[in-house]
Amino acid sequence: MSNVKKFMYINNKAPYGTIYAWESLEVVLIGAAFDQDVSLMFTGDGVYQLMKGQDTKEVGIKNFSPTYAALGDYDINKIYVEKESLDARGLTVDDLMHLVWEDEDEDWAEKDSIRVVTSAELAEILDQQDVVLSF
Amino acid sequence: MKFGIQVNEGPYTHEASVTAINFVKSAVAKGHEVFRVFFYHDGVNNGTRYATPPQDDINIQQTWSNLAKEHNIDLVICVAAAQRRGLADDGEQERNKLDGNNIMDGFRISGLGQLIEAGIECDRLVVFGD
């Protein structure tokens, strides 16, 4: 495994209702062991996956949202959220979980993992990827 | 070109399986290599041998099995997704003390690392699903 590829995981579905979001996150976590250049992208209803204060008690389905906070520990710190998707749902970045990572090169300074980008910027980011997995 | 394939949807309910089969057949016919097909989410149901569709319908599971044998294609079912949905081979039967197994000839059950490896090893990873 000499070559490092750019992996992008596209998440465009709501966190509950279907299993795609949770099983996508499982791929991301397993994939982290392969030392690739990983990015995550949240578009459409996928932005709801990052909402803070998720509570699934009433629906009886596992709340997996705390797992996103662990991504920083797996060196996954490029989490792109589409601005237009937030706007269309009346959300801002303040409605999302505060996901951070620690920068080894800057004395473990804590930095934000979430970057809000426009769909035009996302298109450019997607263009740079080697492997795109959509869930 | 070396292709990796990911199938995310179950057979019959969703057209993704048949589209993936057609893609694999075309790729092979044009001289490309299909390194691996990875079945995830409900896509794991492409690998049960207990499907008995009407005779005038396509047998999707059998078609995959035949393709694998004919062209030496690695068909891999995700173990985590399989455990949730009741797909088992000999190993899973023994580990989880099940009273049988139901995997189709030509498929194997393994981990998500096989999907990431396909992404690394192949020129293109093509995902079939919604």
Side-chain angles (χ1 to χ4, degrees):
Chain A
M1 234 82 81
S2 54
N3 54 333
V4 172
K5 282 191 171 181
K6 290 170 94 77
F7 274 67
M8 167 66 85
Y9 296 88
I10 301 179
N11 301 280
N12 60 24
K13 295 186 181 71
Y16 310 102
T18 64
I19 200 169
Y20 298 101
W22 174 222
E23 286 191 333
S24 167
L25 192 52
E26 288 190 329
V27 180
V28 172
L29 294 174
I30 297 285
F34 284 74
D35 292 327
Q36 301 294 302
D37 182 351
V38 174
S39 302
L40 271 60
M41 162 177 154
F42 293 85
T43 60
D45 282 348
V47 298
Y48 289 122
Q49 294 180 28
L50 299 179
M51 289 282 286
K52 61 184 171 195
Q54 294 181 32
D55 180 358
T56 60
K57 274 193 212 86
E58 297 290 324
V59 286
I61 289 173
K62 174 171 161 177
N63 176 6
F64 59 87
S65 64
T67 312
Y68 291 102
L71 290 174
D73 299 332
Y74 286 86
D75 286 330
I76 295 167
N77 51 39
K78 292 190 289 282
I79 300 179
Y80 301 101
V81 179
E82 189 188 45
K83 183 179 185 302
E84 287 85 343
S85 298
L86 288 175
D87 290 347
R89 287 158 184 81
L91 302 172
T92 71
V93 72
D94 294 331
D95 295 306
L96 307 180
M97 292 180 277
H98 186 213
L99 303 181
V100 296
W101 62 289
E102 292 177 342
D103 191 344
E104 193 179 341
D105 299 330
E106 290 186 24
D107 197 24
W108 307 100
E110 200 174 83
K111 295 185 175 179
D112 288 344
S113 300
I114 291 182
R115 309 172 199 189
V116 178
V117 293
T118 64
S119 58
E121 288 168 323
L122 263 187
E124 276 180 38
I125 294 164
L126 261 181
D127 197 37
Q128 297 160 5
Q129 305 301 316
D130 298 308
V131 182
V132 178
L133 297 115
S134 51
F135 293 96
Chain B
M1 192 174 272
K2 197 192 241 187
F3 283 106
I5 309 289
Q6 182 182 347
V7 178
N8 284 341
E9 300 293 341
Y12 302 103
T13 304
H14 201 289
E15 199 177 324
S17 313
V18 174
T19 311
I21 285 171
N22 291 337
F23 183 92
V24 169
K25 281 182 180 171
S26 301
V28 170
K30 285 188 179 294
H32 299 294
E33 180 193 346
V34 176
F35 171 74
R36 176 172 296 150
V37 184
F38 190 85
F39 298 89
Y40 198 43
H41 304 305
D42 281 357
V44 299
N45 292 310
N46 281 274
T48 173
R49 69 167 183 273
Y50 285 159
T52 54
Q55 289 202 341
D56 61 351
D57 201 351
I58 178 177
N59 186 324
I60 293 174
Q61 291 86 349
Q62 188 63 57
T63 305
W64 278 121
S65 181
N66 295 347
L67 266 177
K69 265 177 249 166
E70 242 171 89
H71 304 292
N72 196 27
I73 298 169
D74 190 20
L75 305 181
V76 180
I77 292 171
C78 169
V79 62
Q83 286 170 340
R84 289 194 177 106
R85 293 164 179 85
L87 260 284
D89 59 8
D90 287 345
E92 282 298 295
Q93 179 186 347
E94 203 176 306
R95 254 189 304 283
N96 299 302
K97 312 262 185 295
L98 306 175
D99 62 6
N101 68 71
N102 57 348
I103 195 172
M104 175 62 115
D105 191 29
F107 287 79
R108 65 188 179 94
I109 294 181
S110 188
L112 280 165
Q114 301 278 307
L115 171 63
I116 306 298
E117 189 195 36
I120 295 169
E121 294 295 325
C122 297
D123 301 308
R124 292 281 188 282
L125 183 73
V126 187
V127 183
F128 292 86
D130 273 337

